[in-house]
Amino acid sequence: MLDTPRLDDQPAAEKSPAALPPPAPHKPERQRGCLFALSQPPLMIFLGVIGGLLLMAALHDLLLL
């Protein structure tokens, strides 16, 4: 079997899990999910323009062709 290359920051498979450093403590602060991005005005304008173009193309296909 071929030996896969390892990066310097990857832990070796021979090390036990107890030898790895503990994870960094997580600060419980307010987390923002995906819906936060949708509240941004430039993104909503962009999505509105794209949606309008798709709607116009669909209506053109259905009504005029």
Side-chain angles (χ1 to χ4, degrees):
M1 185 162 79
L2 295 174
D3 187 28
T4 57
R6 273 194 215 125
L7 299 175
D8 291 335
D9 60 344
Q10 288 180 333
E14 298 85 24
K15 289 184 180 179
S16 66
L20 297 175
H26 181 265
K27 294 181 180 179
E29 56 187 48
R30 185 174 174 207
Q31 298 201 1
R32 297 178 175 175
C34 294
L35 291 179
F36 175 74
L38 290 178
S39 68
Q40 303 300 317
L43 178 63
M44 292 306 293
I45 292 171
F46 172 75
L47 292 177
V49 169
I50 296 299
L53 290 173
L54 288 173
L55 179 66
M56 287 182 1
L59 289 176
H60 177 265
D61 286 349
L62 289 174
L63 301 175
L64 298 178
L65 292 180

